[in-house]
Amino acid sequence: MQTTFRLCNGLTANQVKAALFVIYAHKINGQVYIGKTKDPVYRWNTHYDASRNTTHSEYSTPFKVALRNVQNEWLATEHYILAVSNCANEIRKFENIAICKYKSELNATGHWGYSDATEMFKPLSQWQDTVMLFRDESRDVEWGLAKDDADRDVCIARIEHGRTSPTSLVSTGKDGNFPAGYKINCSRAARKGHPVGSHVKVLVSWHASGNQLVGKKHDVFVSVNIN
């Protein structure tokens, strides 16, 4: 699984391959979608799959509709890498700035009020090189990037009401390892016995998409008191 990306804003292939996070853009019929991820090849394929899956929660979002409405979307879509970072908080900021700067019509939600004060984002037409990126098949994409506990970090999370299950787990940012507000994909059984509003300590890693955190399939959460 591989995809060719155009490099923008002075980035080099080595910088992109070495970075923990990237900001990417997909351009289709003159419209732009922007996102962040750890694995842009995997993420592009999940976008495509979601556009064809009528039961997927993102099936009716603007980007997925655009993919369905164009002929030969694999050739019609241009792929770009806009920025890189090894910091989760910084990459979220870059994503917000890029969405505003490029006026990304295909993003389902707006991230308004951010300005490119340092002018780091140049027009997509000024891309200067390309890089062929490959899906890292060694990554356990479904359950995150970690293979064992040595690859995971402690996260202080809060038990909240779930949309499709009784409870869900969300990062609080109080551990210093992960920013607040990220959903944690984890064992439902481990959440039992912890009431909504309580806090737990859990070992997690980033999902390959960079949009959520992932705990172990089988785990026992430790209750913690947060003042």
Side-chain angles (χ1 to χ4, degrees):
M1 191 182 295
Q2 62 194 50
T3 306
T4 298
F5 287 81
R6 298 174 178 181
L7 298 175
C8 300
N9 307 314
L11 291 175
T12 67
N14 287 338
Q15 285 177 309
V16 172
K17 292 177 181 179
L20 187 58
F21 300 101
V22 304
I23 298 297
Y24 64 88
H26 300 305
K27 186 177 181 181
I28 185 168
N29 281 344
Q31 294 181 302
V32 177
Y33 176 88
I34 288 171
K36 62 182 180 298
T37 186
K38 282 191 170 186
D39 189 335
V41 177
Y42 165 76
R43 192 70 182 111
W44 160 237
N45 280 268
T46 62
H47 282 309
Y48 174 81
D49 291 343
S51 74
R52 294 296 186 269
N53 182 356
T54 57
T55 64
H56 197 282
S57 61
E58 297 182 3
Y59 179 79
S60 298
T61 57
F63 182 41
K64 308 309 184 294
V65 173
L67 285 175
R68 288 196 300 277
N69 288 343
V70 70
Q71 290 186 340
N72 200 344
E73 60 275 15
W74 285 96
L75 295 178
T77 306
E78 300 170 357
H79 311 284
Y80 301 84
I81 301 295
L82 308 179
V84 299
S85 178
N86 292 323
C87 173
N89 286 328
E90 184 177 54
I91 207 69
R92 292 176 71 188
K93 178 181 177 182
F94 287 168
E95 180 187 32
N96 290 333
I97 294 173
I99 288 174
C100 292
K101 182 64 176 282
Y102 294 106
K103 298 180 175 60
S104 50
E105 303 96 331
L106 297 181
N107 283 78
T109 57
H111 297 245
W112 315 123
Y114 291 83
S115 62
D116 186 14
T118 62
E119 297 186 353
M120 68 177 290
F121 292 107
K122 309 301 182 185
L124 296 181
S125 60
Q126 294 183 14
W127 63 275
Q128 66 276 7
D129 203 351
T130 63
V131 59
M132 177 75 77
L133 297 179
F134 296 83
R135 160 81 187 283
D136 184 353
E137 299 293 347
S138 68
R139 291 178 171 179
D140 183 357
V141 173
E142 180 182 1
W143 282 94
L145 304 179
K147 290 297 182 182
D148 52 46
D149 285 353
D151 297 323
R152 298 182 176 94
D153 290 302
V154 170
C155 178
I156 303 300
R158 181 177 60 257
I159 304 291
E160 297 188 350
H161 289 290
R163 291 190 300 175
T164 59
S165 61
T167 59
S168 64
L169 201 60
V170 178
S171 62
T172 64
K174 296 182 180 296
D175 45 74
N177 295 320
F178 302 97
Y182 278 85
K183 179 183 177 182
I184 300 173
N185 191 341
C186 61
S187 166
R188 291 189 180 186
R191 297 197 297 268
K192 289 183 178 179
H194 297 281
V196 171
S198 64
H199 293 81
V200 296
K201 181 170 66 175
V202 57
L203 288 174
V204 303
S205 65
W206 283 104
H207 187 275
S209 67
N211 292 326
Q212 62 178 304
L213 300 169
V214 183
K216 295 192 294 186
K217 290 185 178 181
H218 307 287
D219 200 2
V220 176
F221 298 160
V222 178
S223 297
V224 294
N225 293 321
I226 301 296
N227 296 325

